[in-house]
Structures are given as C-alpha cells and as structure tokens.
Amino acid sequence: MRGRGSPPGWAARWPPISRLPPAPRKPRIRVRCNLQLSLAHACDSAHQPRPFRLSFLEVRRGRLLPSPDPLALDREASPPEKHWTPEKTLWNEKTSWGDQEPLSKIPFKIMKGHQHIVSSCHFCVDDTKLLSGSYDCTVKLWDAMDGAVVRDFEPAPGAPVIECSVTADSRRIVAASYDKTVRAWDLETGKLLWKLSHETFIVSCKFSPDGKYVVSGLDVDCGICIIDAKDTTTVSHIKDHHGMSVTACCFDPDSQKVASVSFDRSIKIWDVTSQATLLTITKAHTNAISNCCFTFSGHFLCTSSWDKTLKIWNVHTGEFRNRGACVTLMQGHEGSVSSCHFARDTSFLVSGGFDRVVAIWDVGEGYRKLFLKGHTDWVMDVAVSNDKKWILSASKDRTMRLWNIEETDQIPLVIEYKKALGLKMKQCEECDRPFSTYESDLFHETVTKCVFCRMDAKDVSAEALPSSEGEDLLARGCSPDKDG
C-alpha cells in the first residue's frame, strides 16, 4: 500500500520503547489543526509523516488515527482504542461463510490472527495460500481454505512491516520494515535467505515478475533502489528520483521497467537496461499518489490517490484516459484510495480505500461493478487470485477478508447496474454463464457466446486474452485527457 513512512530519524532521537513513560491520557479534542498541519507539510516537505503509515512509537502505544478519511478535517477524534486481545479460536461460527448484504450475496471469510494493522496481502502457491504483513512486526502465511496460520516467518522484523511481496513461482518472499531492512525468506521452509539494511526508511518493496530483482521505495532519499534478489548486490540506486518521498513502486510484467509514485503527485517509469527515466508525468493527481499497478501486458498503469480517484495511464505516451471505461474510476470512493490491483486478464480492477470499502470495477464495460463492505476501518491493501474467483483485502481493523466473487455477474445488484448502463444480459450457449452486450450495438443480437468462449473458439490461449480483449477495450474505448 500501497503512502508509507515515518518521520526521519525517529530511531536515533527516541529512547528505547521500554524506557518511555506511559502515555498520558488526553481529553477529547478536535483534530482540525493537527491534520491541517500534516496535510500542508505533506505538500511542502519530502520528509513528512503519513497518516496511514504510523510511527513505531504509535504502533507500540496503540494510538491509531480515528477517522477513516484523512481528508475529513472537521470530525472529532474518537477515544483511544483499546489494545486488541487475540481470540483463542481463529476460526469459529462467526467467521464462516456468510452473506454480506441482501442485494450482494457475496460470500466471505474473515481471517483473524494479526494483533495490529494488516498492511499488505497476497495470494500465492496457486491461490491456496495467503501472505500478509502487519504492524505487529510479523509476516504470516495462511491456508486459504481453513484460515489457519501456517507459518510466522522468523526471525521477525524488529519494527512494523510496511509491505511484503512474493515471487511468481511462490518460492521466496520479501518484506520491508520500519527498522530500515528488507528480509527475504524461503516460503516453503521459512528459512531466512538474506537481510539487507538501508540508511533510510523503506516504504515499498516488490519482486520483479521473473524473480531476479527486488525494488524498494525510499523515503528520505526520495528514490528507488533495485537489487539482485540472489546476492543483494545493488543494480541501481536512484536518489532524488522524485521531488518528495516515494509512496509505492512496482515492476512491469517484463521485469524491465519500474513505475514509482510519490507525494509530489508524479509518476515515473525507469528502465533497468538503459538506466534512464523513460517517462515522467507531473501533477498526475491533485493529491498524493498512494499506489500503482501495471496491466498484464504492461501497456497501462493504474494509480490510486488521496484525491479519492483512480486513473489509468498509457505508459508509452503518458496519456491519461478520462472517457469510456475509465471515467467511472474517478467517481467511486468516498475517501482516499489506498490500493489497486488488476485481474490477470484486465477484465476488472479492484481497489481499496479509507472509506472502508473494496471496489470492483469492470474495465471493459466501464462501470463500478460492486462495493464490498464489511471492514470496520481503512482498507490498506487488496489482491486478486489468478483464477479471478477471489479477492483478498487487508485492513487497519487487524483482519483480512477473503471474498468469493465467482458469481458476481448473477447477483441482483450487478444486474441492475448493467441494465442502467444499457447493457443486455444474455446466457452463453457454450458455458451457460451470463454475459452482457450493449443494446445499442448493431451486432448484439447475433452474439450468443461470452467473450471467453469466443476467444477459445479462435484458439487464443487464456494468457493471450488480457492484451487482446480487456486492454484493447481500454485503448479503443477511452480518449486522452487534454491535460495528460
């Protein structure tokens, strides 16, 4: 999640936690002044604190910001939260499959086990396992079926875990922590493979899809560091890459380019081979950019922001798509958007926000498919399974939720959305699943199969589908913004 970080030099200035006096109780106060100062500082300084990435001291004391929206300046502060005590049973009747809302009927499971904010989540091992990182200084591996914790990776980081990542083959994982380290473990054995220390705070870490590199986003350096994942040798260390602190970074599907976003509201694409910046998009959003993700082909990049929007960009031209299938991305969340993730075939996009909601966006047909509600605090991260049947969300409420979205096209709420958009619902004569076509389409009466069966009939593999169907709709159905 990926805006991250803490004030620089906190470890050097503060005494050990055990020597600190207990925090005095403070009366209920309004938070207008403090939050205004924080947001102003975020716009003027490269070393600002971030409201959704807390300092180590705040984590240990259990002081969490009360509001689900950091931009809501007029709300009163809630009383300090009590320390959470883990339940004896991680899986009980209350956490079994259940319906979310009368019109949604989305089955879900609640994964309990972390004792603090869950900051990062991933699917791995053919979607049978889940990976999570937390502010409780742990990285956990879960069984996706029964919700049990399979392993806590040791030795554990000495500070809150900001982000974790897993290789495409699910053999290794990495995690970045507030103790300025990146650690790598063998996923199967749990053995620590290496530990790398930086001189500054690390706000993001990602494996390249081929597993050869690890890229880290750096706070004080306002840059990125790319290392060899095998021996930790430095491939590139780009300081002052951005004008302010980096918030997130990721590799493209070919492992040759790195996208990074920042508090300075800019997007940069860095080429590993040429060691040069290929593209810079300034003022991409009207507030800090929190996260970014590539489509499966690498032609498009989605960014999420504190300005409550998501945007899709052509990484070759830098054009912002603001019409057709992309316009609804700017009209969904009611709070800052923290995370985004494309499905493997780019047929839909998932986002999480500080409005406590997980949103599913249909990329091809251009509408918000569904809101998944249930988390009681900020959604910090989201992930999509390779088979597109599951969504995983991590939250500040110390839980993860595993949502089954396999039958979303058949639930009443989604059908009503499609009808409102002028979409005609049909049933595929090949696989019997429902699909939709626009009633204004001249050929909609002759279409009797869903797009997947039509593509299969043309002997196009499922791996080829993303760039030919979902992303082709992105390219043809949108036009560039004049300010892009």
Side-chain angles (χ1 to χ4, degrees):
M1 162 22 268
R2 225 176 138 328
R4 301 173 169 92
S6 284
W10 61 271
R13 292 200 308 267
W14 293 352
I17 299 299
S18 59
R19 299 181 185 177
L20 288 173
R25 294 185 179 180
K26 295 184 178 181
R28 187 182 181 94
I29 59 173
R30 295 182 71 86
V31 297
R32 172 186 288 274
C33 295
N34 289 339
L35 281 178
Q36 282 180 328
L37 289 174
S38 297
L39 291 175
H41 194 41
C43 297
D44 298 333
S45 170
H47 313 312
Q48 71 288 342
R50 300 177 174 87
F52 57 99
R53 292 297 184 187
L54 309 182
S55 69
F56 190 30
L57 180 62
E58 289 170 313
V59 170
R60 287 300 180 93
R61 288 180 175 177
R63 290 181 173 181
L64 307 180
L65 292 178
S67 171
D69 183 356
L71 304 182
L73 303 179
D74 295 321
R75 299 177 186 175
E76 292 186 352
S78 301
E81 295 186 26
K82 297 180 180 179
H83 288 284
W84 180 75
T85 304
E87 296 181 3
K88 293 181 180 180
T89 305
L90 295 180
W91 218 246
N92 51 40
E93 293 181 359
K94 293 183 179 180
T95 58
S96 61
W97 295 107
D99 291 338
Q100 177 205 9
E101 291 181 346
L103 289 178
S104 353
K105 304 286 187 183
I106 297 297
F108 64 90
K109 272 189 177 182
I110 302 176
M111 324 288 279
K112 293 184 178 181
H114 282 294
Q115 300 183 31
H116 218 299
I117 297 171
V118 188
S119 55
S120 185
C121 62
H122 295 276
F123 286 93
C124 55
V125 194
D126 296 326
D127 301 333
T128 63
K129 298 292 188 292
L130 312 173
L131 181 69
S132 65
S134 170
Y135 276 29
D136 64 8
C137 310
T138 66
V139 179
K140 296 180 184 290
L141 185 68
W142 307 70
D143 187 284
M145 287 302 296
D146 60 19
V149 176
V150 177
R151 173 178 293 111
D152 281 280
F153 290 91
E154 301 287 349
V161 175
I162 305 306
E163 188 170 32
C164 55
S165 178
V166 60
T167 54
D169 59 10
S170 296
R171 296 181 60 183
R172 293 165 293 157
I173 68 168
V174 290
S177 169
Y178 268 141
D179 61 8
K180 303 180 182 180
T181 66
V182 177
R183 290 171 169 84
W185 291 272
D186 182 280
L187 186 141
E188 184 177 1
T189 65
K191 177 184 178 182
L192 181 67
L193 300 177
W194 50 260
K195 172 184 171 182
L196 178 66
S197 297
H198 285 272
E199 296 180 354
T200 183
F201 290 105
I202 308 154
V203 296
S204 178
C205 71
K206 293 282 198 326
F207 266 115
S208 60
D210 61 10
K212 294 181 179 180
Y213 306 108
V214 174
V215 60
S216 300
L218 306 178
D219 187 358
V220 178
D221 286 352
C222 304
I224 57 175
C225 181
I226 303 171
I227 65 169
D228 187 296
K230 185 176 182 180
D231 56 17
T232 71
T233 56
T234 301
V235 176
S236 298
H237 187 175
I238 308 101
K239 294 184 178 181
D240 300 318
H241 193 44
H242 286 269
M244 297 174 70
S245 300
V246 172
T247 53
C249 53
C250 64
F251 276 96
D252 76 331
D254 294 329
S255 304
Q256 293 301 308
K257 300 180 183 68
V258 173
S260 59
V261 293
S262 165
F263 267 95
D264 65 8
R265 298 175 290 172
S266 72
I267 303 168
K268 286 184 178 286
I269 307 293
W270 169 268
D271 186 78
V272 177
T273 303
S274 65
Q275 301 279 294
T277 301
L278 301 179
L279 177 67
T280 299
I281 304 173
T282 59
K283 298 181 180 179
H285 284 266
T286 59
N287 208 326
I289 306 176
S290 59
N291 210 337
C292 58
C293 63
F294 279 99
T295 55
F296 186 70
S297 71
H299 296 320
F300 295 93
L301 181 79
C302 180
T303 55
S304 59
S305 170
W306 287 10
D307 65 11
K308 306 181 184 180
T309 71
L310 297 107
K311 292 185 178 182
I312 295 179
W313 307 83
N314 185 318
V315 299
H316 303 294
T317 65
E319 292 175 345
F320 160 49
R321 306 293 174 165
N322 73 333
R323 295 179 60 188
C326 309
V327 68
T328 54
L329 298 175
M330 303 179 66
Q331 304 171 350
H333 284 280
E334 296 181 357
S336 299
V337 188
S338 62
S339 49
C340 53
H341 200 289
F342 277 109
R344 187 175 177 85
D345 66 354
T346 321
S347 59
F348 64 90
L349 172 73
V350 178
S351 61
F354 293 165
D355 53 4
R356 311 176 187 182
V357 163
V358 177
I360 305 175
W361 312 86
D362 189 294
V363 175
E365 294 171 352
Y367 70 100
R368 187 185 67 234
K369 193 177 230 182
L370 199 61
F371 270 166
L372 304 180
K373 300 178 180 179
H375 281 296
T376 59
D377 216 322
W378 298 351
V379 176
M380 305 292 288
D381 195 15
V382 291
V384 182
S385 64
N386 284 330
D387 61 11
K388 304 187 303 174
K389 296 179 180 179
W390 308 90
I391 289 175
L392 183 64
S393 56
S395 173
K396 185 182 170 185
D397 66 12
R398 304 165 181 140
T399 70
M400 292 193 297
R401 288 197 176 216
L402 185 62
W403 312 82
N404 186 334
I405 60 168
E406 191 173 1
E407 305 297 333
T408 53
D409 287 332
Q410 301 180 32
I411 65 176
L413 197 60
V414 174
I415 293 174
E416 289 301 316
Y417 282 158
K418 290 185 174 184
K419 288 181 179 178
L421 291 168
L423 294 170
K424 184 178 179 61
M425 298 302 299
K426 291 187 174 184
Q427 190 168 7
C428 178
E429 66 178 21
E430 186 76 21
C431 66
D432 291 329
R433 288 188 175 275
F435 70 99
S436 57
T437 60
Y438 281 99
E439 293 184 0
S440 58
D441 192 331
L442 294 176
F443 303 101
H444 80 92
E445 293 293 345
T446 62
V447 178
T448 58
K449 297 181 181 180
C450 68
V451 63
F452 299 101
C453 291
R454 296 200 306 270
M455 296 303 291
D456 287 340
K458 296 177 182 178
D459 294 325
V460 178
S461 68
E463 297 267 325
L465 179 61
S467 58
S468 61
E469 188 69 19
E471 296 196 33
D472 185 53
L473 287 171
L474 259 181
R476 292 186 289 109
C478 309
S479 63
D481 178 18
K482 62 181 179 181
D483 298 324

XYZ file of all heavy atoms in Angstrom, residues 56-93:
317
model
N 6.698 3.876 14.756
C 6.883 2.710 15.614
C 6.352 2.993 17.015
O 5.748 2.143 17.661
C 8.371 2.368 15.655
C 8.675 1.048 16.315
C 7.750 0.015 16.261
C 9.883 0.842 16.966
C 8.034 -1.204 16.835
C 10.166 -0.368 17.548
C 9.242 -1.398 17.491
N 6.574 4.207 17.515
C 6.103 4.558 18.840
C 4.584 4.491 18.921
O 4.022 3.954 19.868
C 6.576 5.972 19.201
C 6.153 6.493 20.596
C 6.759 5.613 21.682
C 6.586 7.934 20.778
N 3.919 5.022 17.893
C 2.466 4.979 17.875
C 1.956 3.560 17.789
O 0.928 3.213 18.374
C 1.931 5.803 16.699
C 2.107 7.287 16.885
C 1.782 8.035 15.611
O 2.258 7.614 14.544
O 1.059 9.031 15.693
N 2.675 2.729 17.055
C 2.268 1.327 16.930
C 2.328 0.635 18.273
O 1.424 -0.091 18.675
C 3.171 0.603 15.916
C 2.922 -0.886 15.972
C 2.904 1.131 14.523
N 3.433 0.847 19.011
C 3.587 0.180 20.300
C 2.583 0.689 21.334
O 2.148 -0.025 22.208
C 5.021 0.386 20.815
C 6.044 -0.451 20.044
C 5.718 -1.932 20.177
N 6.671 -2.749 19.447
C 7.772 -3.269 20.004
N 8.048 -3.036 21.265
N 8.594 -4.004 19.282
N 2.274 1.970 21.268
C 1.328 2.526 22.227
C -0.115 2.272 21.839
O -1.027 2.505 22.612
C 1.551 4.037 22.352
C 2.834 4.385 23.093
C 2.984 5.895 23.189
N 4.138 6.271 23.987
C 4.518 7.529 24.182
N 3.828 8.510 23.638
N 5.572 7.806 24.923
N -0.318 1.824 20.605
C -1.665 1.517 20.161
C -2.516 2.727 19.862
O -3.730 2.676 19.906
N -1.875 3.843 19.541
C -2.627 5.054 19.225
C -2.868 5.112 17.733
O -1.931 5.313 16.971
C -1.852 6.295 19.660
C -1.767 6.452 21.175
C -1.005 7.733 21.488
N -1.045 8.020 22.903
C -0.474 9.081 23.437
N 0.164 9.938 22.667
N -0.546 9.294 24.728
N -4.098 4.959 17.324
C -4.435 4.947 15.914
C -5.297 6.153 15.593
O -6.100 6.608 16.405
C -5.198 3.663 15.562
C -4.504 2.374 15.973
C -5.359 1.193 15.559
C -3.130 2.272 15.361
N -5.147 6.694 14.386
C -5.997 7.809 13.973
C -7.441 7.358 13.890
O -7.734 6.276 13.395
C -5.539 8.337 12.620
C -4.178 9.036 12.632
C -3.829 9.471 11.209
C -4.181 10.245 13.538
N -8.369 8.174 14.377
C -9.753 7.729 14.477
C -10.545 7.775 13.191
O -11.466 7.026 13.010
C -10.352 8.725 15.491
C -9.535 9.963 15.291
C -8.136 9.490 14.962
N -10.214 8.668 12.290
C -11.072 8.886 11.128
C -10.718 7.971 9.985
O -9.555 7.766 9.683
C -10.949 10.344 10.658
O -11.601 10.508 9.430
N -11.696 7.393 9.272
C -11.398 6.552 8.104
C -10.978 7.376 6.902
O -10.583 6.820 5.912
C -12.736 5.846 7.840
C -13.754 6.792 8.374
C -13.121 7.452 9.560
N -11.080 8.672 6.968
C -10.716 9.531 5.845
C -9.770 10.616 6.330
O -10.157 11.505 7.077
C -11.983 10.170 5.262
C -11.677 11.023 4.038
O -10.482 11.160 3.704
O -12.622 11.538 3.429
N -8.487 10.589 5.945
C -7.523 11.577 6.436
C -7.830 12.977 5.957
O -7.264 13.935 6.450
C -6.191 11.076 5.871
C -6.554 10.286 4.677
C -7.862 9.653 5.002
N -8.716 13.115 4.983
C -9.046 14.435 4.481
C -10.272 15.027 5.180
O -10.670 16.153 4.906
C -9.310 14.370 2.974
C -8.166 13.793 2.150
C -8.529 13.824 0.676
C -6.879 14.560 2.388
N -10.892 14.262 6.064
C -12.056 14.757 6.794
C -11.555 15.520 8.013
O -11.289 14.953 9.056
C -12.962 13.596 7.212
N -11.407 16.828 7.887
C -10.751 17.623 8.906
C -11.689 18.069 10.023
O -11.232 18.534 11.057
C -10.145 18.878 8.252
C -9.165 18.605 7.107
C -8.666 19.922 6.546
C -8.001 17.760 7.583
N -12.976 17.941 9.818
C -13.912 18.516 10.764
C -14.500 17.501 11.734
O -15.387 17.814 12.500
C -15.070 19.197 10.020
C -14.567 20.382 9.210
O -13.686 21.081 9.720
O -15.065 20.590 8.087
N -14.009 16.288 11.679
C -14.576 15.281 12.569
C -13.823 15.250 13.893
O -12.631 15.490 13.947
C -14.494 13.892 11.911
C -15.289 13.839 10.618
C -15.139 12.488 9.968
N -15.784 12.470 8.673
C -15.733 11.450 7.828
N -15.072 10.368 8.148
N -16.348 11.505 6.660
N -14.544 14.923 14.949
C -13.915 14.884 16.245
C -13.150 13.589 16.422
O -13.500 12.550 15.890
C -14.980 15.002 17.348
C -15.650 16.385 17.373
C -16.576 16.507 18.570
O -16.789 15.490 19.236
O -17.058 17.614 18.823
N -12.092 13.669 17.220
C -11.285 12.482 17.490
C -12.052 11.535 18.396
O -12.732 11.949 19.326
C -9.975 12.883 18.147
N -11.935 10.242 18.108
C -12.566 9.240 18.946
C -11.657 8.914 20.118
O -10.452 9.144 20.068
C -12.837 7.970 18.131
O -13.661 8.270 17.036
N -12.205 8.348 21.198
C -11.352 7.950 22.321
C -10.310 6.948 21.859
O -10.537 6.205 20.905
C -12.364 7.309 23.299
C -13.690 7.865 22.906
C -13.621 8.090 21.425
N -9.143 6.916 22.536
C -8.082 5.972 22.137
C -8.598 4.550 22.130
O -9.369 4.133 23.003
C -7.013 6.180 23.226
C -7.287 7.545 23.773
C -8.760 7.735 23.680
N -8.174 3.782 21.124
C -8.607 2.400 21.016
C -7.932 1.540 22.075
O -6.782 1.762 22.425
C -8.256 1.845 19.625
C -9.006 2.541 18.504
C -8.733 1.851 17.193
O -8.425 0.647 17.212
O -8.825 2.508 16.152
N -8.667 0.553 22.550
C -8.097 -0.375 23.497
C -7.229 -1.389 22.771
O -7.453 -1.698 21.624
C -9.214 -1.096 24.259
C -10.074 -0.148 25.100
C -11.165 -0.927 25.821
C -12.031 -0.004 26.655
N -13.114 -0.749 27.351
N -6.241 -1.900 23.490
C -5.387 -2.929 22.893
C -6.216 -4.154 22.573
O -7.077 -4.569 23.359
C -4.245 -3.294 23.840
C -3.198 -2.225 23.940
N -2.275 -2.013 22.963
C -2.966 -1.296 24.896
C -1.489 -1.009 23.293
N -1.886 -0.548 24.477
N -5.932 -4.734 21.439
C -6.707 -5.876 20.981
C -6.109 -7.162 21.517
O -4.899 -7.375 21.486
C -6.708 -5.909 19.469
C -7.467 -7.051 18.891
C -8.818 -7.201 18.814
C -6.923 -8.220 18.280
N -9.148 -8.367 18.195
C -7.996 -9.021 17.862
C -5.630 -8.667 18.066
C -7.821 -10.224 17.230
C -5.453 -9.885 17.436
C -6.544 -10.646 17.025
N -6.949 -8.032 22.044
C -6.508 -9.319 22.554
C -6.920 -10.399 21.576
O -8.095 -10.530 21.249
C -7.147 -9.612 23.923
O -6.837 -8.531 24.806
C -6.638 -10.933 24.484
N -5.948 -11.188 21.069
C -6.281 -12.228 20.086
C -7.285 -13.217 20.654
O -7.242 -13.566 21.831
C -4.920 -12.900 19.820
C -3.901 -11.914 20.286
C -4.531 -11.162 21.404
N -8.204 -13.646 19.818
C -9.171 -14.647 20.232
C -8.491 -16.011 20.323
O -7.545 -16.306 19.604
C -10.326 -14.715 19.233
C -11.124 -13.422 19.167
C -12.281 -13.537 18.194
O -12.451 -14.640 17.644
O -12.992 -12.546 18.014
N -9.009 -16.843 21.209
C -8.418 -18.167 21.366
C -8.609 -18.997 20.111
O -7.753 -19.763 19.716
C -9.063 -18.868 22.572
C -8.733 -18.197 23.912
C -9.367 -18.955 25.066
C -9.048 -18.280 26.398
N -9.669 -19.004 27.535
N -9.767 -18.840 19.490
C -10.059 -19.603 18.276
C -10.059 -18.671 17.079
O -10.804 -17.704 17.051
C -11.427 -20.295 18.386
O -11.441 -21.098 19.564
C -11.693 -21.161 17.171
N -9.209 -18.957 16.108
C -9.121 -18.106 14.933
C -10.302 -18.321 13.996
O -10.673 -17.443 13.242
C -7.816 -18.389 14.173
C -6.532 -18.036 14.920
C -5.342 -18.373 14.049
C -6.506 -16.568 15.295
N -10.867 -19.475 14.047
C -11.938 -19.821 13.101
C -13.120 -20.372 13.884
O -13.041 -21.400 14.535
C -11.422 -20.881 12.128
C -11.933 -20.679 10.750
C -12.773 -21.493 10.053
C -11.646 -19.597 9.885
N -13.027 -20.982 8.821
C -12.349 -19.831 8.679
C -10.876 -18.437 10.002
C -12.292 -18.955 7.597
C -10.813 -17.578 8.929
C -11.508 -17.835 7.756
N -14.227 -19.665 13.857
C -15.413 -20.123 14.557
C -16.645 -19.847 13.709
O -16.534 -19.490 12.545
C -15.529 -19.430 15.924
C -15.409 -17.915 15.800
O -15.951 -17.323 14.866
N -14.710 -17.289 16.732
N -17.806 -20.010 14.294
C -19.028 -19.845 13.523
C -19.183 -18.430 12.987
O -19.730 -18.212 11.913
C -20.233 -20.202 14.396
C -20.281 -21.685 14.772
C -21.487 -21.998 15.611
O -22.260 -21.067 15.898
O -21.677 -23.162 15.976
